Each structure stands twice: as structure tokens, then as C-alpha cells.
Amino acid sequence: MNKVITDGLELMPPSFSDGLDVWSSGDGTPGSDTYDGSGNGAYIPADQDFGAALEVVKTSSVQQVRYMGETTILPGCYLQVTARVKCLSGALPDVRIAGWAGEAGGGHLGGVTEVGPSVSLTGYGEVFEVTAIIGTGQRNGVDMVWADANYGHIGLDLTGSNGGVVRIDDIEIVDITDAFLRDMLGIVDVRDYGAIGDGVTDDSDAFEAADDDADGREVLVTAGTYFLGGNVTFQNQVRFEGTVSMAEEHRLVLQKNFDYPTYVDAFGNEELAFKKAFQALLNYPDHTSLDLGGRRIALTEPVDLHAAVSNRETYESRVVVHNGLFFPVSGANWDDDVVTSQATYDTDDASYLTNVANIGAIQVGSLVTGNGVGREVYVHEVDVGTSTVKLSAQLFDAQGTQEYTFTRFKYLLDFSGFEKISDFVFDQIDFDCDGDASAVLLAPSGVLVQFQDCWIKRPKDRGITSHGAGCQGLIIDRCNFESDEAGLRTQDRKSLCFNTNKNDCKVRNNRAARFRHFAVMSGTGSIVANNHWFMGDNEAVGVRLGGLIVAHQNPMTTISGNYIDNNFVEWTNEHDADPSVSGYSFGGLTINSNIFTSVDGQVSSRCIVAKPYGPGHYINGLNVQGNVFRSFGQDFDRVDEVDTTYAEFDYDRMRRIVFEGNTYHGIEFETQNPFVGEFTQASEDETWTIDTETYLPFGGRAKNIDAVMAVGPIRNDDNDIVFAQPYAQPEQGANDDQFYLVWPEPVRGTVRYSVRMDEPS
């Protein structure tokens, strides 16, 4: 690039033969003395070495020669100034290129170097050449760096002893920018705009100036460390050979190449680069996604995402982080923090612990454990001033004062410092926890956070955790969860894939292997569809635990099309401070078209377990249809059960339970409701006792007999056919699971019947 050629820029001062009235013996500014008639300078028309020349008698300690015209200084343009001189007589001086730097508007630009290197004249009549380079960038070879100059009065100085007579050839100024920039047609270098790159000087203005002038060209940040004292935004493509440093609160926004690899180039540190890229993502609305470029990002500690974006408490616009991998660097930063404190729980204020001892040590997002605490209860808020902890869920049996344990897991990505995060998407992200870390802690509030096509591998404690309402509308699609505890017995594991506290969650097409639980879901209105989770172990006759814990008595949830392997669906009300029946009881659950499989489980293994945590509960609305139940290696007796650890159901109030159209293999009693059976009375009897033999769900009673149809003739003791109809007496026997058919006379024969353990409507 040469501005003389490309822009027609006039750089060369006029020849001395054109007159000395434009050559100043001062600084060159308007009004300064000239060599025209000054008495110590004369025009020499025909020097044998120079042709036309200026002859000067040195009378000042610094004898100046300046062109009074304004030589333009442009960002990115480098000027080489050259003069040839010789001393004829008198004291031999030193000579240097020099100039006066001017700002736009005519003021003097102070604080810059205005002289080049000196050359000593060592002989009379010998021609010496002096040269210097002037430019806006601090680059190797630039003698006078005029970063903010607009123009200059350029010439030379004679220094040293006075009395010498010196002749000066015409001064040449040429554009040598090509010597500095490798590709001037496409690159703007920040150093040309005054960037220093010493890691101390604030180069933010130079960065902004370079970007302003780029006009579609690429901005180059050459080697060095550039401190940026404020926010910097690049509107043009930028390439980093050097690195930048800036305060935590300051932002670097790259509009044209907003991607994680560029931030790594900019900051030279993977961890910091992600924080800065995430900071820019949430502060610049033109970007809706952050591409991690397929990079593996090593984290030495949990990423506090709110600390990275400290200027925001909430974010509710859709953004996507995709195409990358996070993994922890092993160390103490990933150790769980465990605090044991005494606290008081009152069911009248069921979302809080009060009078919490040592509350300053308890962290938001900690798992709460203790007597009467259900699974996956977390610290939602901490109020140190009132010694109060707000909980993510209620406690089922903790009235009074006791000790609780608060365990804070460490997550690769931690949103807990925000107030609310909504519409946030993780797409094609590997959370490679490596047994050292958990994966993601959601914000305390938010809607429609989504994980799609992600891998959550070997979490130490948890995959995805909600410690409040940040899981409202949570979507987990096509993700794979791999356990760090695959080699342990099921009952010895502690990790789980995710939990939810709020409503409308969609969990679809995922795979999970060998955790303690797949999920604990205590909200309502959710869909769990087409997943495969298997939680068995290598035990010959292994213990089976709940894989999916539905921790709400009336969840309005559909569990459909899943492959549920070596575990069961567990339905509880453990997040209820008053677990006895009040208002809605158990109901609103659909379990259909799933494959339940058990391999080498115990005879007592189950597929569906209901567990009321207080008395008086019943089921009002359960639909179990179209499922396949199969046991390999060890048959078990039935697929359903009530866990009566805390309470039993009120079977008199059971309603709207459908348990039909299912397929059973390796199961002794095929649960049905209504149960359709066949009974043969071999000898004449007026009262037939028919036993449902635990075929009814949850050991239910023979409550309603919907139909009785004779199969073949009914005969009396005279072998006559009896055409009379019997009447039924339900809920007979010690367990109320029998019913009587009462005939008008003793008869024998076979009937097909339909019996229910509930009220159908």
C-alpha cells in the first residue's frame, strides 16, 4: 500500500529552488521565521553533490529546518524522511531528522518523540545521509510514533557546536507502509492506531479507532499483551496474534466473528475465554448463539456464570450455547462443601427453615438432608440477616428443631447467582464431569431452559439440578447420561440425572445408565416419553430402586413409550409438609406403552410403586395401559405395589383406575382393573366365593362387580339348568379381595366375571 499512489497524497516538500519562504528556522508553524532573507541561510543553485541546496550557518544550539507546509499523517501510514548533508567548514555538527506534530485543529501534539537518531558529521565535504521513520503505530523501526497526529511540519535539526557551514540537499518524504504491513489491502493493525501492547497502557481507544477505520477490513491485534480499560466492541472481523486483558466487568464483543475459538485467541486462556464469550452473549442482543467450535474447555473450578455477567440479574431472551465440551481439572475446587446446622421447621411456614445456626456457611443450591426430608430438596435462598433458609420443596415430617446437613455439590456451570434465566439452550454440549464434578445448576427461577443432543458423562453427584423454579418448562431432548457409579450395586449409588420442582417439563428420547435414580420430578403437567433408562447392576439377584420418582401426588403427567430397565416408577407425596390427605389425593398419572424389563431382580421387584407419606390417601385417576412387563432370569410375583413405610391407602375411595391392555412375561399375577376372570364351582352351593387372587392393582379390594356371565349351563343338584341370576356381595374375605355370588338355590357351573377395585367414575 502506498498512499501517494492509491490516494494521490502529496508528501514531498518543495525543492529549495522553489524558494526559502516555506522553510522555517523555527518549528515550522505559521508565523515562524524562515530562511528567506534571514542572514544565516542561502540558496545554492549548483552544488557539485546536490545540485540545488540550502546552505546554513549553525548559530543555535539546535538549528532547525522545517517545511512549513502540513505533511499529512494518516493512521496505518508510515513515512520515511531522508536528507543528505555535508559540512564545508567550521565546527562539525550532528544532524537528525525532526518535526513538529500537530493535532486536528492546529494544536501541538505533546508527549510524543519529535526527533530521529543523530548522525555525526566527521569530515569536511563528505556527504552523510540521515533518515527517520514517522508513523502512528509503535512498531519496530519507527523512530517517531505520532499515534494521534493529524499532520506535521517536518525537516531536520543541527545540534552540537556552533559555527559550522552545512549544505542540505532537498528533503525527501516517501510512504514506506509496505515495509510494515503484510497485507494492507485487507488488514488494519491496532498498533497503527496507538496500541502499545505492554499489558499496562489502556489500549481500548486504539482498538476502537482501528475498528472504526477498518470499514470491512480485518482488524489485526499483533503480538503483545493489550490492556483494555473499558468495554470494546469490534464491528469488523478481528484476528488475534496477541492477547488482551481486562477487568471482570468489562466486555469484549466480536460482532463479525463471535465464536469461542476467537475468544481463546483473544484471552489466551480457555476458562477466561468462555466467561468473556458468555458475558458478551448475554450483553449483545445481535448474537443468539455461542459456537464453542468443537473445543474442549478445561475448567479449574466451577464457572460462576453470574459473576461473569455481573451487570445482569435476569436474562429472558433465547440464546444457544453449542458444539463443545466442558471438563474439570481435578483438584480441591471440586470437593463438596458440607455444613451441619441446627434449624427449626414449622409446617405453618412450610417453605422455610428458621433459626438456622451457622447460616453464613450455608450456600444457595445445597442439598438438604435430615429426618423427614424428601429426596432432592435444595436451598433456594439464604437470608443471613434473619437466619432463614428458603427451601425448594416442603419437608414431609420435620416439625420442630433438629440438625440438617447441607451439601453443596460443585457444578461445571453454575447459574445459581442469577435471579432468573429463561429460554436458554444447550445444544450438542458434552459435560464430561469425569467423576469430579456435577454438570449444571440452574438459576433459581426461569422458563424453558433446554438441553438437546447433550452428553452428561460421569457426574460425581448430579447431572442437572434445579434448586428452585428454574426448571419451569424444562426440556431435555435426545441427551445421554453416563454414570460414574456403574460398577457399584444399585443401593450403593448416590448420583442421579436430574430433578425438577416445577411444571410442564418435557423429557424425551434420552438414555441413562446405572445411576441411583434417573430423575426426581415433583412438578405437574410433564411429559416423559421415549426414553431408555436402566439402573441395574451386576448382582445375581439385585435390589431394584425407583428410577423415575414422581414426587407429587397429583402430577398430571404422562409416562409414555419409555424403556424402563431394572427399576420402577415410584409415585410419592414426599414434598408435602402435610402429607395426610387434603384436597387432591393421588391421581392424574398416565403410564402407557412402556417396556418394563427386569433382569436377575429379586422376586419382590416391582415396576410401579405408590408410596403415600401420610394417611387417608387414595388414587383418583390412574391409567396404566399398553405396557409390556417382562422379567428375565428371576420371575417376580407382581408389577405393582403400595409401599406402606409411612401409610396405607384408603381403598374405599379409589376411583378411575384403569389397568388393562398390558402384556406380562415372567410375572405370576397379571395386574388388571377391571379384572376379568373365570370361576368354576364344582359342587352345588348357594354362595360361591370368588377370590381375585391379588390380580387387582395395589392389593385392592373387590369393590365393584361389573358383569357376570355364565359359561355353559348352571345346574342344580337335580342336574336341571337354572336360569336365575345371582347377586353379588363385594369386598369379602380377610383382605376384602373376594366377592360372593349368591344364587337362589345351590348350583354348580362356570361364570366369567369382571370386577373392579375402584369406582369407575
Side-chain angles (χ1 to χ4, degrees), residues 80-116:
Q80 184 177 59
V81 184
T82 304
R84 296 193 303 158
V85 299
K86 64 182 178 180
C87 184
L88 300 181
S89 63
L92 293 167
D94 294 333
V95 185
R96 66 194 181 195
I97 300 298
W100 183 92
E103 298 178 310
H108 180 239
L109 177 63
V112 297
T113 300
E114 295 180 295
V115 296

Side-chain angles (χ1 to χ4, degrees), residues 10 149 237 308 345 405 479 505 559:
E10 291 288 343
Q237 194 87 4
Y345 187 70
T405 299
C479 295
C505 300
I559 303 169

Side-chain angles (χ1 to χ4, degrees), residues 346-363:
D346 186 343
T347 56
D348 290 336
D349 200 6
S351 295
Y352 295 90
L353 293 176
T354 59
N355 301 319
V356 182
N358 195 23
I359 191 165
I362 297 172
Q363 301 175 54

Side-chain angles (χ1 to χ4, degrees), residues 207 228 230-234 240 244 246 250-254 258 262-263 266-267 276-277 279-280:
F207 275 45
L228 304 180
N231 298 328
V232 172
T233 297
F234 282 101
F240 291 90
V244 300
M246 60 197 317
H250 291 149
R251 301 185 294 275
L252 177 66
V253 177
L254 312 176
F258 180 70
T262 304
Y263 276 87
F267 290 95
K276 286 299 183 182
Q279 179 188 52

